[in-house]
Amino acid sequence: MFRNHTTWSPAGRLFQVEYAMEAVKQGSAAIGLRSKTHAVLASVNKANSELSSHQKKIFKIDDHIGIAIAGLTADGRVLSRYLRSECINYSFTYESPLPVGRLVVQLADKAQVCTQRSWKRPYGVGLLVAGLDESGAHLYYNCPSGNYFEYQAFAIGSRSQAAKTYLERKFETFMDSSREELIKDALFAIKETLQGEKLTNSICTVAVVGVGEPFHVMDQKTVQEVIDSLEITEERADQGAAMQEDRSPETAPMDI
Amino acid sequence: MNSIDATIAEKGLMSSEMGSERTLYPYVTGTSVIGIKYKDGILMAADMGGSYGSTLRYKSVERLKPIGKHSLIGASGEISDFQEILRYLDELILYDNMWDDGNSLGPKEVHNYLTRVMYNRRNKFNPLWNSLVLGGVKNGQKYLGTVSMIGVHFEDNHIATGFGNHLARPILRKEWHENLSFEDGVKLLEKCMRVLLYRDRSAVNKLQIAKITEEGVTISQPYSLKTFWGFSAFQNPTKGAEGSW
């Protein structure tokens, strides 16, 4: 019976919170990365069937903040309404954008409440919050437990480990990357999670925020152009590798 | 019919069970505040008088105060309402500091917060009877703005409240320019304050000048302006008017 409220287990665990984090892992992948001046979010769009449209996973919260979610998208929608409300109230009172770090703490505190009331359940959604404020571009991950961390790059959802491995290799270059390099890296990380499936603009969404650039979802045409440029560089590198020595075609993806 | 409506309105909006509890008129008031942008930041001047009607009753009222790390506020109007505003701002800055996250409220944010407070009070027919001048520097950006008791707010390169609107503004319009040095800025403020001292009956000859730059706030010790009354027209003032004194 006690597995159904957020109460302690004898081993000192909160099962409901852990199950909520499990729900995040089941959602389709979302990744984020940032440089000093820009932050990029990308997500994999799963549609239930060919007939339906796909889930919206990236939400604009304010001109300077956007989120990508993984897990229960209904919970994500409700939380994005809360975040938008907080941002707009702050803007109205102070005529200034809400610092990302403060929004993230408010969200985390809201999530924590659900882990300490027996009649509530934790939110079943993980959020990657990308935003820009006076101190530069930021990327945070908020999880159902009420924890949050700042990241240079992160990936959540199913098969996110593949993306994380790629990001771990390259993250040291991100701080000084240009906007275009960041977007390319984001799409490459998404490609990693697809594991063989072809990357096209219909199964992914990319959004950017940066200095002088309000948060917006990139249009599909531009996304396809970047994807195409990724493949061109890949083909060239593959040809180069093939011409050099006898190497197996399953070499690790080269650095773009 | 009409009288019933009026009583209902009074009961709801403008009075309580014990009688009216809203500000009707000010009691102890401060006169003009002047502020200007200069090369390194903002300069503000205000005298230290608190008038009780037509009596110049209090002569050591500090009407310029620092707010947080980046702002400076000057107030004219009801002194007790200014003290109330300082308590609101104190709480605002306290909560801002408690985040402890490297972000801080700048002069623009404080100005807009005050605008919301003043306007909301005006809407309840219970205003804070002040005209405020808010100045500051954050990340190299200079900011100077004003809010009145009815919520009218704007920013400019030079600001004046009360009598300063009529006497100081023309001088500032003519003589203010970008990148005034500190000395020139002080001279300009003193020129305006001297005119106010001669012509505003609620001015006292004891003033403070405050400066805010990226480094921080400095409020000067009180001092007086030199005045000159030796005009020939003031000798024998009753000459030609027999029976006058």
Side-chain angles (χ1 to χ4, degrees):
Chain A
M1 182 225 177
F2 285 115
R3 282 178 156 236
N4 288 332
H5 317 48
T6 322
T7 49
W8 292 105
S9 81
R13 293 156 69 173
L14 290 170
F15 282 121
Q16 285 296 299
V17 176
E18 293 180 20
Y19 298 160
M21 314 231 275
E22 215 33 58
V24 176
K25 290 190 204 149
Q26 302 297 333
S28 57
I31 65 134
L33 22 56
R34 59 121 179 183
S35 70
K36 233 180 273 161
T37 55
H38 287 80
V40 177
L41 292 172
S43 67
V44 171
N45 299 330
K46 279 274 151 64
N48 280 336
S49 75
E50 294 229 337
L51 299 169
S52 79
S53 63
H54 40 69
Q55 287 279 22
K56 186 168 169 186
K57 283 165 61 81
I58 295 190
F59 297 85
K60 174 172 175 166
I61 301 299
D62 200 345
D63 284 334
H64 67 298
I65 300 184
I67 61 171
I69 63 171
L72 265 52
T73 43
D75 284 1
R77 218 177 43 241
V78 156
L79 284 179
S80 70
R81 191 160 57 230
Y82 167 74
L83 296 172
R84 285 170 178 163
S85 168
E86 290 300 300
C87 278
I88 218 171
N89 285 338
Y90 188 92
S91 271
F92 174 70
T93 311
Y94 300 104
E95 277 263 341
S96 231
L98 176 57
V100 196
R102 294 197 179 179
L103 180 64
V104 160
V105 173
Q106 282 173 259
L107 178 63
D109 287 347
K110 191 173 162 73
Q112 191 278 344
V113 167
C114 299
T115 68
Q116 211 171 12
R117 307 269 185 270
S118 64
W119 65 92
K120 287 187 177 239
R121 65 156 177 84
Y123 288 106
V125 63
L127 293 97
L128 284 169
V129 182
L132 185 75
D133 59 24
E134 272 179 1
S135 43
H138 298 275
L139 174 71
Y140 291 90
Y141 172 53
N142 278 73
C143 74
S145 62
N147 276 330
Y148 69 95
F149 296 98
E150 184 162 10
Y151 286 95
Q152 192 69 46
F154 201 52
I156 56 177
S158 66
R159 294 188 287 208
S160 57
Q161 189 49 53
K164 269 191 236 170
T165 318
Y166 171 73
L167 295 171
E168 272 166 27
R169 275 204 338 256
K170 289 210 76 190
F171 78 93
E172 270 149 347
T173 66
F174 290 160
M175 209 48 169
D176 297 310
S177 283
S178 72
R179 175 187 180 276
E180 285 62 39
E181 278 161 22
L182 270 187
I183 297 175
K184 271 204 191 143
D185 280 320
L187 281 166
F188 207 86
I190 288 281
K191 194 159 181 249
E192 295 292 293
T193 67
L194 294 172
Q195 297 201 340
E197 227 180 297
K198 185 161 163 54
L199 175 66
T200 67
N201 62 358
S202 55
I203 56 167
C204 69
T205 317
V206 184
V208 195
V209 63
V211 175
E213 190 179 353
F215 184 89
H216 65 285
V217 173
M218 286 175 62
D219 68 281
Q220 293 303 93
K221 193 154 96 52
T222 323
V223 173
Q224 189 57 47
E225 282 165 16
V226 184
I227 294 175
D228 292 336
S229 78
L230 276 185
E231 285 169 359
I232 294 173
T233 357
E234 233 181 53
E235 277 171 23
R236 245 188 261 131
D238 273 346
Q239 282 173 2
M243 289 194 317
Q244 276 169 24
E245 307 160 6
D246 248 10
R247 275 217 222 134
S248 69
E250 277 106 73
T251 3
M254 75 287 111
D255 286 341
I256 300 173
Chain B
M1 203 52 179
N2 281 334
S3 60
I4 298 173
D5 286 342
T7 356
I8 294 173
E10 244 176 44
K11 274 263 169 248
L13 201 62
M14 304 226 229
S15 66
S16 70
E17 287 298 304
M18 299 150 282
S20 177
E21 281 187 8
R22 58 191 188 92
T23 304
L24 296 167
Y25 14 75
Y27 285 90
V28 179
T29 55
T31 184
S32 332
V33 177
I34 317 182
I36 55 173
K37 282 188 190 169
Y38 81 108
K39 184 162 61 84
D40 304 324
I42 311 289
L43 280 168
M44 258 195 232
D47 68 22
M48 299 190 75
S51 304
Y52 187 62
S54 53
T55 311
L56 298 182
R57 180 131 177 227
Y58 303 103
K59 302 200 186 161
S60 294
V61 180
E62 285 183 18
R63 299 195 291 118
L64 301 170
K65 292 281 183 188
I67 305 292
K69 282 185 288 200
H70 305 285
S71 316
L72 186 59
I73 189 174
S76 62
E78 173 63 58
I79 298 300
S80 62
D81 282 349
F82 178 47
Q83 290 170 345
E84 184 79 349
I85 288 171
L86 288 176
R87 280 195 327 114
Y88 287 149
L89 289 175
D90 197 43
E91 196 176 316
L92 180 74
I93 300 294
L94 178 71
Y95 279 115
D96 190 41
N97 290 339
M98 271 164 57
W99 281 101
D100 196 20
D101 66 349
N103 289 306
S104 54
L105 294 171
K108 180 180 189 181
E109 288 81 21
V110 177
H111 182 220
N112 279 286
Y113 169 80
L114 286 171
T115 305
R116 292 295 118 228
V117 171
M118 302 298 269
Y119 183 65
N120 275 306
R121 289 288 297 253
R122 163 263 198 204
N123 283 337
K124 294 195 268 200
F125 278 90
N126 185 16
L128 289 159
W129 207 287
N130 294 107
S131 283
L132 306 167
V133 179
L134 210 300
V137 195
K138 190 173 181 214
N139 296 336
Q141 295 268 53
K142 300 188 279 256
Y143 188 91
L144 181 62
T146 181
V147 198
S148 79
M149 68 189 251
I150 55 172
V152 174
H153 63 287
F154 52 90
E155 300 168 54
D156 208 342
N157 293 320
H158 44 78
I159 297 278
T161 66
F163 255 82
N165 271 310
H166 302 110
L167 299 175
R169 270 222 178 144
I171 302 175
L172 294 170
R173 279 181 193 141
K174 191 147 182 226
E175 301 192 14
W176 184 89
H177 58 86
E178 255 334 320
N179 291 323
L180 280 163
S181 70
F182 175 71
E183 290 74 26
D184 285 341
V186 172
K187 259 202 222 116
L188 182 55
L189 284 179
E190 283 185 347
K191 184 170 182 179
C192 297
M193 294 301 281
R194 188 171 285 109
V195 171
L196 286 166
L197 178 60
Y198 284 133
R199 294 293 176 178
D200 178 5
R201 73 153 192 196
S202 24
V204 302
N205 195 2
K206 184 174 172 193
L207 69 142
Q208 288 179 303
I209 300 225
K211 147 171 96 96
I212 181 166
T213 62
E214 194 76 51
E215 279 83 51
V217 178
T218 334
I219 304 186
S220 73
Q221 287 292 73
Y223 68 102
S224 326
L225 295 169
K226 288 208 182 62
T227 56
F228 179 71
W229 299 93
F231 296 102
S232 58
F234 295 165
Q235 319 307 346
N236 270 342
T238 61
K239 185 163 145 195
E242 296 304 326
S244 241
W245 67 96

